[in-house]
Protein backbone atom coordinates (compact mmCIF):
# COMPACT_ATOMS: atom_id res chain seq x y z
CA UNK A 1 0.00 0.00 0.00
CA UNK A 2 1.49 3.34 -0.95
CA UNK A 3 1.55 6.28 1.45
CA UNK A 4 -1.13 8.14 -0.48
CA UNK A 5 -3.71 5.36 -0.08
CA UNK A 6 -3.55 5.30 3.73
CA UNK A 7 -6.23 6.61 6.10
CA UNK A 8 -4.96 8.77 9.01
CA UNK A 9 -5.48 5.77 11.32
CA UNK A 10 -3.44 3.51 9.08
CA UNK A 11 -0.76 6.18 8.87
CA UNK A 12 -0.55 6.50 12.67
CA UNK A 13 -0.40 2.74 13.02
CA UNK A 14 2.40 2.56 10.46
CA UNK A 15 4.40 5.31 12.17
CA UNK A 16 4.00 3.55 15.55
CA UNK A 17 5.24 0.32 14.00
CA UNK A 18 8.32 2.11 12.63
CA UNK A 19 8.95 3.67 16.04
CA UNK A 20 8.69 0.35 17.83
CA UNK A 21 11.08 -1.32 15.34
CA UNK A 22 13.51 1.56 15.87
CA UNK A 23 13.21 1.30 19.67
CA UNK A 24 13.93 -2.41 19.50
CA UNK A 25 17.01 -1.75 17.37
CA UNK A 26 18.28 0.88 19.77
CA UNK A 27 17.70 -1.31 22.84
CA UNK A 28 19.49 -4.26 21.21
CA UNK A 29 22.54 -2.27 20.31
CA UNK A 30 23.43 -0.33 23.46
CA UNK A 31 25.26 2.73 22.21
CA UNK A 32 27.67 1.30 19.71
CA UNK A 33 25.73 0.76 16.52
CA UNK A 34 25.46 2.10 13.02
CA UNK A 35 23.39 5.21 12.50
CA UNK A 36 21.16 6.63 9.80
CA UNK A 37 22.04 10.19 8.80
CA UNK A 38 19.48 12.10 6.75
CA UNK A 39 20.54 15.28 4.95
CA UNK A 40 17.49 17.05 3.57
CA UNK A 41 16.30 20.62 2.84
CA UNK A 42 16.47 22.89 -0.21
CA UNK A 43 20.02 24.24 0.19
CA UNK A 44 23.29 23.33 -1.48
CA UNK A 45 25.59 20.72 0.03
CA UNK A 46 23.50 17.59 0.61
CA UNK A 47 25.03 15.17 -1.88
CA UNK A 48 28.52 16.51 -1.33
CA UNK A 49 28.02 15.91 2.39
CA UNK A 50 27.05 12.32 1.66
CA UNK A 51 30.13 11.81 -0.49
CA UNK A 52 32.28 13.44 2.19
CA UNK A 53 31.08 10.75 4.63
CA UNK A 54 31.87 8.06 2.05
CA UNK A 55 35.44 9.39 1.87
CA UNK A 56 35.56 9.55 5.65
CA UNK A 57 34.61 5.84 5.87
CA UNK A 58 37.05 4.82 3.12
CA UNK A 59 39.76 6.78 4.91
CA UNK A 60 39.31 4.52 7.92
CA UNK A 61 39.68 1.46 5.68
CA UNK A 62 35.97 0.65 5.68
CA UNK A 63 33.96 -0.65 2.75
CA UNK A 64 31.23 1.58 1.41
CA UNK A 65 28.49 1.55 -1.19
CA UNK A 66 26.84 4.38 -3.13
CA UNK A 67 23.51 4.25 -4.94
CA UNK A 68 22.56 7.43 -6.80
CA UNK A 69 18.93 7.94 -7.63
CA UNK A 70 18.23 10.47 -10.41
CA UNK A 71 21.86 11.37 -11.15
CA UNK A 72 23.49 9.71 -14.12
CA UNK A 73 26.69 7.71 -13.88
CA UNK A 74 29.78 9.71 -14.87
CA UNK A 75 27.99 13.04 -14.46
CA UNK A 76 29.57 14.29 -11.29
CA UNK A 77 33.14 14.69 -10.11
CA UNK A 78 32.88 12.65 -6.94
CA UNK A 79 31.53 9.68 -8.85
CA UNK A 80 34.30 9.96 -11.45
CA UNK A 81 36.93 10.32 -8.75
CA UNK A 82 35.87 7.26 -6.81
CA UNK A 83 35.09 5.04 -9.79
CA UNK A 84 38.69 5.28 -10.96
CA UNK A 85 40.44 4.80 -7.65
CA UNK A 86 38.44 2.88 -5.17
CA UNK A 87 38.30 -0.90 -4.83
CA UNK A 88 36.56 -0.61 -1.45
CA UNK A 89 33.54 1.12 -2.97
CA UNK A 90 30.56 -0.24 -4.88
CA UNK A 91 28.76 2.40 -6.93
CA UNK A 92 25.53 2.27 -8.90
CA UNK A 93 23.66 5.13 -10.56
CA UNK A 94 20.16 5.20 -12.04
CA UNK A 95 21.21 6.14 -15.53
CA UNK A 96 18.51 4.40 -17.47
CA UNK A 97 16.64 7.51 -18.39
CA UNK A 98 14.90 9.08 -15.44
CA UNK A 99 12.77 11.96 -16.71
CA UNK A 100 11.99 14.85 -14.39
CA UNK A 101 8.95 15.72 -16.48
CA UNK A 102 7.56 12.19 -16.15
CA UNK A 103 6.82 11.68 -19.83
CA UNK A 104 7.50 8.04 -19.12
CA UNK A 105 6.31 7.20 -15.64
CA UNK A 106 6.38 3.45 -16.19
CA UNK A 107 9.97 3.64 -17.42
CA UNK A 108 10.94 5.78 -14.43
CA UNK A 109 9.39 3.34 -11.98
CA UNK A 110 11.20 0.44 -13.62
CA UNK A 111 14.50 2.35 -13.40
CA UNK A 112 13.82 3.22 -9.75
CA UNK A 113 13.06 -0.41 -8.88
CA UNK A 114 16.18 -1.63 -10.65
CA UNK A 115 18.28 0.93 -8.78
CA UNK A 116 16.63 0.08 -5.47
CA UNK A 117 17.57 -3.59 -5.93
CA UNK A 118 21.23 -2.51 -5.69
CA UNK A 119 20.46 -0.54 -2.52
CA UNK A 120 18.76 -3.58 -0.98
CA UNK A 121 21.82 -5.73 -1.67
CA UNK A 122 24.09 -3.23 0.06
CA UNK A 123 21.68 -2.87 3.00
CA UNK A 124 21.85 -6.64 3.54
CA UNK A 125 25.64 -6.92 3.37
CA UNK A 126 27.42 -6.81 6.76
CA UNK A 127 30.76 -6.20 4.99
CA UNK A 128 29.55 -2.78 3.88
CA UNK A 129 30.00 -0.27 6.70
CA UNK A 130 28.49 2.79 5.05
CA UNK A 131 25.78 3.04 2.41
CA UNK A 132 24.98 6.35 0.69
CA UNK A 133 21.50 6.52 -0.85
CA UNK A 134 21.88 9.77 -2.79
CA UNK A 135 18.64 11.60 -3.72
CA UNK A 136 16.50 8.74 -2.43
CA UNK A 137 13.87 11.13 -1.04
CA UNK A 138 12.47 11.94 -4.50
CA UNK A 139 11.66 8.29 -5.18
CA UNK A 140 9.24 8.46 -2.27
CA UNK A 141 7.77 11.89 -3.03
CA UNK A 142 7.01 10.78 -6.61
CA UNK A 143 5.68 7.42 -5.35
CA UNK A 144 8.20 5.64 -7.55
CA UNK A 145 9.24 3.40 -4.68
CA UNK A 146 7.19 2.02 -1.82
CA UNK A 147 8.26 3.71 1.42
CA UNK A 148 7.47 0.60 3.51
CA UNK A 149 9.98 -1.42 1.54
CA UNK A 150 12.65 1.24 2.11
CA UNK A 151 11.90 1.48 5.84
CA UNK A 152 12.10 -2.30 6.23
CA UNK A 153 15.43 -2.59 4.45
CA UNK A 154 17.00 0.28 6.43
CA UNK A 155 15.67 -0.76 9.87
CA UNK A 156 16.68 -4.40 9.35
CA UNK A 157 20.19 -3.71 8.03
CA UNK A 158 23.29 -5.14 9.78
CA UNK A 159 23.75 -3.69 13.27
CA UNK A 160 26.95 -1.74 12.64
CA UNK A 161 26.16 -0.47 9.17
CA UNK A 162 25.78 3.29 8.72
CA UNK A 163 23.40 4.77 6.15
CA UNK A 164 23.37 8.28 4.69
CA UNK A 165 20.26 9.43 2.83
CA UNK A 166 20.14 12.71 0.91
CA UNK A 167 17.55 14.75 -0.99
CA UNK A 168 14.93 17.46 -0.58
CA UNK A 169 11.59 16.95 1.08
CA UNK A 170 12.31 13.84 3.14
CA UNK A 171 9.13 12.03 4.14
CA UNK A 172 8.05 11.61 7.76
CA UNK A 173 9.01 7.93 7.65
CA UNK A 174 12.60 8.73 6.64
CA UNK A 175 12.90 11.27 9.46
CA UNK A 176 11.54 8.69 11.89
CA UNK A 177 14.08 5.98 10.96
CA UNK A 178 17.02 8.42 11.05
CA UNK A 179 19.24 8.97 14.09
CA UNK A 180 20.64 12.26 12.84
CA UNK A 181 18.70 14.65 10.62
CA UNK A 182 20.11 17.86 9.17
CA UNK A 183 18.06 20.32 7.15
CA UNK A 184 20.17 22.32 4.72
CA UNK A 185 18.46 25.67 4.21
CA UNK A 186 19.24 27.90 1.28
CA UNK A 187 20.19 31.36 2.52
CA UNK A 188 21.73 32.53 -0.76
CA UNK A 189 22.46 30.79 -4.05
CA UNK A 190 24.89 31.84 -6.79
CA UNK A 191 22.39 30.77 -9.48
CA UNK A 192 19.99 33.46 -8.29
CA UNK A 193 22.71 36.04 -8.97
CA UNK A 194 23.15 34.69 -12.52
CA UNK A 195 26.37 32.79 -11.91
CA UNK A 196 26.83 29.65 -13.99
CA UNK A 197 27.04 26.29 -12.23
CA UNK A 198 30.72 25.73 -11.55
CA UNK A 199 32.33 22.38 -12.33
CA UNK A 200 33.86 21.02 -9.14
CA UNK A 201 31.36 22.84 -6.97
CA UNK A 202 27.88 22.11 -8.29
CA UNK A 203 28.57 18.85 -10.13
CA UNK B 1 40.77 46.76 13.82
CA UNK B 2 38.82 43.73 14.97
CA UNK B 3 35.07 43.45 14.50
CA UNK B 4 34.37 44.00 18.19
CA UNK B 5 36.08 47.41 18.25
CA UNK B 6 33.96 48.98 15.51
CA UNK B 7 31.22 51.54 15.99
CA UNK B 8 27.95 50.83 14.12
CA UNK B 9 28.91 53.51 11.55
CA UNK B 10 32.29 51.90 10.98
CA UNK B 11 30.61 48.54 10.65
CA UNK B 12 28.15 49.83 8.02
CA UNK B 13 30.94 51.47 6.10
CA UNK B 14 32.95 48.25 6.17
CA UNK B 15 30.00 46.19 4.97
CA UNK B 16 29.38 48.67 2.12
CA UNK B 17 33.00 48.41 1.12
CA UNK B 18 32.78 44.61 1.02
CA UNK B 19 29.60 44.83 -1.04
CA UNK B 20 31.18 47.17 -3.53
CA UNK B 21 34.27 44.96 -3.91
CA UNK B 22 31.96 41.99 -4.48
CA UNK B 23 29.89 43.90 -7.05
CA UNK B 24 33.05 44.83 -8.93
CA UNK B 25 34.16 41.22 -8.95
CA UNK B 26 30.78 40.05 -10.24
CA UNK B 27 30.67 42.72 -12.97
CA UNK B 28 34.20 41.88 -14.11
CA UNK B 29 33.50 38.20 -14.43
CA UNK B 30 30.24 37.97 -16.35
CA UNK B 31 28.72 34.71 -15.24
CA UNK B 32 31.61 32.31 -15.51
CA UNK B 33 33.70 32.79 -12.43
CA UNK B 34 34.65 30.99 -9.26
CA UNK B 35 32.22 31.14 -6.37
CA UNK B 36 32.38 31.22 -2.60
CA UNK B 37 30.21 28.59 -0.91
CA UNK B 38 29.58 28.99 2.81
CA UNK B 39 28.19 26.03 4.78
CA UNK B 40 27.21 27.18 8.25
CA UNK B 41 24.64 26.31 10.96
CA UNK B 42 24.61 23.95 13.92
CA UNK B 43 23.70 20.69 12.14
CA UNK B 44 25.78 17.73 11.04
CA UNK B 45 27.27 17.61 7.54
CA UNK B 46 29.21 20.87 7.04
CA UNK B 47 32.79 19.61 6.87
CA UNK B 48 31.80 16.45 5.02
CA UNK B 49 30.05 18.67 2.46
CA UNK B 50 33.25 20.68 2.03
CA UNK B 51 35.27 17.50 1.53
CA UNK B 52 32.65 16.21 -0.91
CA UNK B 53 33.26 19.33 -3.03
CA UNK B 54 37.02 18.75 -2.82
CA UNK B 55 36.48 15.24 -4.21
CA UNK B 56 34.16 16.67 -6.86
CA UNK B 57 36.89 19.07 -8.01
CA UNK B 58 39.61 16.38 -7.94
CA UNK B 59 37.29 14.11 -9.94
CA UNK B 60 37.31 16.69 -12.73
CA UNK B 61 41.12 16.74 -12.68
CA UNK B 62 41.33 20.08 -10.87
CA UNK B 63 43.85 21.02 -8.22
CA UNK B 64 42.52 21.72 -4.75
CA UNK B 65 43.74 22.85 -1.35
CA UNK B 66 42.41 22.18 2.14
CA UNK B 67 43.17 24.16 5.29
CA UNK B 68 41.59 22.81 8.46
CA UNK B 69 41.23 25.16 11.38
CA UNK B 70 40.71 23.49 14.79
CA UNK B 71 40.83 19.89 13.56
CA UNK B 72 44.08 18.02 14.02
CA UNK B 73 45.95 16.38 11.16
CA UNK B 74 45.27 12.64 10.89
CA UNK B 75 42.16 12.86 13.05
CA UNK B 76 39.49 12.39 10.42
CA UNK B 77 38.91 9.83 7.71
CA UNK B 78 38.67 12.22 4.78
CA UNK B 79 42.02 13.76 5.66
CA UNK B 80 43.64 10.33 5.97
CA UNK B 81 42.10 9.19 2.71
CA UNK B 82 43.30 12.15 0.70
CA UNK B 83 46.72 12.46 2.30
CA UNK B 84 47.64 8.99 1.11
CA UNK B 85 46.31 9.15 -2.41
CA UNK B 86 46.16 12.62 -3.78
CA UNK B 87 48.99 14.46 -5.53
CA UNK B 88 46.56 17.15 -6.76
CA UNK B 89 45.73 18.22 -3.22
CA UNK B 90 47.56 20.39 -0.74
CA UNK B 91 46.44 19.88 2.86
CA UNK B 92 47.30 21.71 6.04
CA UNK B 93 45.73 21.30 9.48
CA UNK B 94 46.13 23.48 12.57
CA UNK B 95 47.53 20.79 14.83
CA UNK B 96 49.76 22.88 17.01
CA UNK B 97 47.56 22.70 20.04
CA UNK B 98 44.37 24.68 19.66
CA UNK B 99 42.52 24.65 22.98
CA UNK B 100 38.75 25.02 23.03
CA UNK B 101 38.92 26.22 26.60
CA UNK B 102 41.41 28.99 25.73
CA UNK B 103 43.87 28.23 28.50
CA UNK B 104 46.48 29.52 26.07
CA UNK B 105 44.98 32.29 23.99
CA UNK B 106 48.33 33.58 22.75
CA UNK B 107 49.30 30.09 21.61
CA UNK B 108 45.97 29.67 19.86
CA UNK B 109 46.33 32.97 18.03
CA UNK B 110 49.83 32.06 16.88
CA UNK B 111 48.55 28.69 15.63
CA UNK B 112 45.65 30.39 13.84
CA UNK B 113 47.97 32.89 12.15
CA UNK B 114 50.36 30.17 11.05
CA UNK B 115 47.45 28.16 9.61
CA UNK B 116 46.01 31.25 7.92
CA UNK B 117 49.33 31.84 6.13
CA UNK B 118 48.75 28.54 4.29
CA UNK B 119 45.24 29.65 3.36
CA UNK B 120 46.59 32.93 1.99
CA UNK B 121 49.07 31.09 -0.21
CA UNK B 122 46.32 28.93 -1.68
CA UNK B 123 44.05 31.95 -2.17
CA UNK B 124 46.78 33.63 -4.24
CA UNK B 125 47.54 30.62 -6.45
CA UNK B 126 45.67 30.55 -9.79
CA UNK B 127 46.61 26.88 -10.24
CA UNK B 128 44.38 25.94 -7.33
CA UNK B 129 40.77 25.70 -8.48
CA UNK B 130 39.11 24.94 -5.18
CA UNK B 131 40.13 25.92 -1.64
CA UNK B 132 38.37 24.46 1.40
CA UNK B 133 38.71 26.54 4.58
CA UNK B 134 37.28 24.05 7.06
CA UNK B 135 35.98 25.50 10.37
CA UNK B 136 37.28 28.98 9.51
CA UNK B 137 34.23 30.67 11.07
CA UNK B 138 35.44 30.01 14.62
CA UNK B 139 38.67 31.92 14.04
CA UNK B 140 36.54 35.01 13.50
CA UNK B 141 34.07 34.42 16.33
CA UNK B 142 36.95 34.00 18.78
CA UNK B 143 38.75 37.02 17.28
CA UNK B 144 41.77 34.83 16.60
CA UNK B 145 42.01 36.11 13.04
CA UNK B 146 41.21 39.55 11.66
CA UNK B 147 38.10 39.34 9.51
CA UNK B 148 39.28 42.15 7.20
CA UNK B 149 42.34 40.15 6.25
CA UNK B 150 40.19 37.14 5.43
CA UNK B 151 37.73 39.19 3.39
CA UNK B 152 40.56 40.78 1.38
CA UNK B 153 42.21 37.47 0.56
CA UNK B 154 38.95 35.84 -0.51
CA UNK B 155 37.62 38.77 -2.56
CA UNK B 156 40.96 39.28 -4.34
CA UNK B 157 41.60 35.62 -5.16
CA UNK B 158 42.08 34.46 -8.78
CA UNK B 159 38.93 34.93 -10.87
CA UNK B 160 38.12 31.26 -11.48
CA UNK B 161 39.03 29.93 -8.06
CA UNK B 162 36.25 28.44 -5.94
CA UNK B 163 36.27 28.68 -2.14
CA UNK B 164 34.31 26.62 0.36
CA UNK B 165 34.09 27.85 3.95
CA UNK B 166 32.56 25.76 6.73
CA UNK B 167 31.74 26.20 10.42
CA UNK B 168 29.01 27.32 12.80
CA UNK B 169 28.03 30.92 13.37
CA UNK B 170 29.43 32.52 10.21
CA UNK B 171 29.91 36.27 10.61
CA UNK B 172 28.01 38.80 8.53
CA UNK B 173 31.16 39.54 6.50
CA UNK B 174 31.53 35.90 5.46
CA UNK B 175 27.89 35.76 4.40
CA UNK B 176 28.37 38.97 2.40
CA UNK B 177 31.38 37.68 0.42
CA UNK B 178 29.73 34.33 -0.31
CA UNK B 179 27.77 33.57 -3.47
CA UNK B 180 26.04 30.54 -2.04
CA UNK B 181 25.19 30.16 1.64
CA UNK B 182 23.61 27.07 3.19
CA UNK B 183 22.57 26.83 6.80
CA UNK B 184 22.63 23.28 8.11
CA UNK B 185 20.03 23.02 10.86
CA UNK B 186 20.04 20.23 13.39
CA UNK B 187 16.65 18.52 13.40
CA UNK B 188 17.79 15.41 15.28
CA UNK B 189 21.18 14.16 16.42
CA UNK B 190 22.21 10.62 17.33
CA UNK B 191 24.32 11.94 20.24
CA UNK B 192 21.18 13.21 21.92
CA UNK B 193 19.83 9.65 21.89
CA UNK B 194 23.03 8.38 23.55
CA UNK B 195 24.59 6.85 20.46
CA UNK B 196 28.38 6.92 20.33
CA UNK B 197 30.08 8.91 17.59
CA UNK B 198 30.58 6.49 14.72
CA UNK B 199 33.91 6.28 12.93
CA UNK B 200 33.34 6.96 9.24
CA UNK B 201 30.32 9.14 9.97
CA UNK B 202 31.28 11.68 12.62
CA UNK B 203 35.04 11.70 12.13
Amino acid sequence: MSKQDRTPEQHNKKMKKIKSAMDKRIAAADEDRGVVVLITGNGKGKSSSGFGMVIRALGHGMKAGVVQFIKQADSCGEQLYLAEREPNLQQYAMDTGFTWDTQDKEGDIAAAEKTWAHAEQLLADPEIQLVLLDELTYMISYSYLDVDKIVDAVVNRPLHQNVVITGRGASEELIEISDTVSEVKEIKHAFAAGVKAQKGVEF
Side-chain angles (χ1 to χ4, degrees), chain A:
Chain A
M1 181 168 46
S2 88
K3 197 179 158 180
Q4 280 71 9
D5 303 331
R6 280 184 213 140
T7 65
E9 290 71 29
Q10 285 170 323
H11 176 77
N12 285 347
K13 208 176 142 192
K14 180 72 203 165
M15 294 304 290
K16 266 189 199 149
K17 207 179 132 197
I18 296 176
K19 192 169 182 327
S20 130
M22 283 292 291
D23 287 348
K24 217 177 284 173
R25 190 181 168 88
I26 292 169
D30 67 50
E31 280 76 40
D32 198 7
R33 60 178 177 89
V35 292
V36 180
V37 178
L38 172 63
I39 314 274
T40 189
N42 64 353
K44 179 183 168 43
K46 299 183 292 294
S47 290
S48 48
S49 184
F51 274 93
M53 282 181 255
V54 168
I55 295 296
R56 200 166 266 185
L58 294 172
H60 288 298
M62 299 173 168
K63 286 187 180 171
V66 173
V67 180
Q68 290 182 279
F69 295 87
I70 296 183
K71 282 197 192 111
Q72 302 212 336
D74 307 334
S75 68
C76 58
E78 56 274 38
Q79 203 275 342
L80 289 171
Y81 184 91
L82 293 163
E84 279 171 22
R85 293 165 182 80
E86 200 33 75
N88 273 336
L89 182 70
Q90 293 183 38
Q91 288 196 93
Y92 185 81
M94 183 159 91
D95 57 349
T96 44
F98 179 85
T99 53
W100 277 103
D101 53 2
T102 64
Q103 295 301 300
D104 178 19
K105 192 167 179 183
E106 291 310 303
D108 288 347
I109 290 176
E113 293 284 359
K114 196 178 152 200
T115 309
W116 174 250
H118 289 265
E120 265 186 340
Q121 270 178 24
L122 293 168
L123 292 167
D125 184 348
E127 296 282 299
I128 305 286
Q129 282 150 295
L130 187 133
V131 178
L132 169 59
L133 303 172
D134 188 40
E135 319 267 27
L136 175 66
T137 58
Y138 304 101
M139 299 301 104
I140 298 170
S141 15
Y142 297 164
S143 299
Y144 284 179
L145 291 176
D146 176 29
V147 69
D148 294 355
K149 188 163 69 175
I150 294 171
V151 165
D152 283 349
V154 171
V155 171
N156 295 310
R157 74 193 188 283
L159 188 64
H160 288 95
Q161 188 181 72
N162 298 296
V163 176
V164 183
I165 299 170
T166 72
R168 294 184 182 210
S171 71
E172 207 182 333
E173 292 89 343
L174 289 184
I175 294 170
E176 186 61 41
I177 61 171
S178 297
D179 300 284
T180 296
V181 180
S182 289
E183 182 195 356
V184 184
K185 289 186 68 171
E186 180 177 305
I187 306 294
K188 230 188 196 185
H189 200 297
F191 295 170
V195 181
K196 280 210 303 198
Q198 294 298 304
K199 196 190 255 193
V201 175
E202 301 288 347
F203 59 94

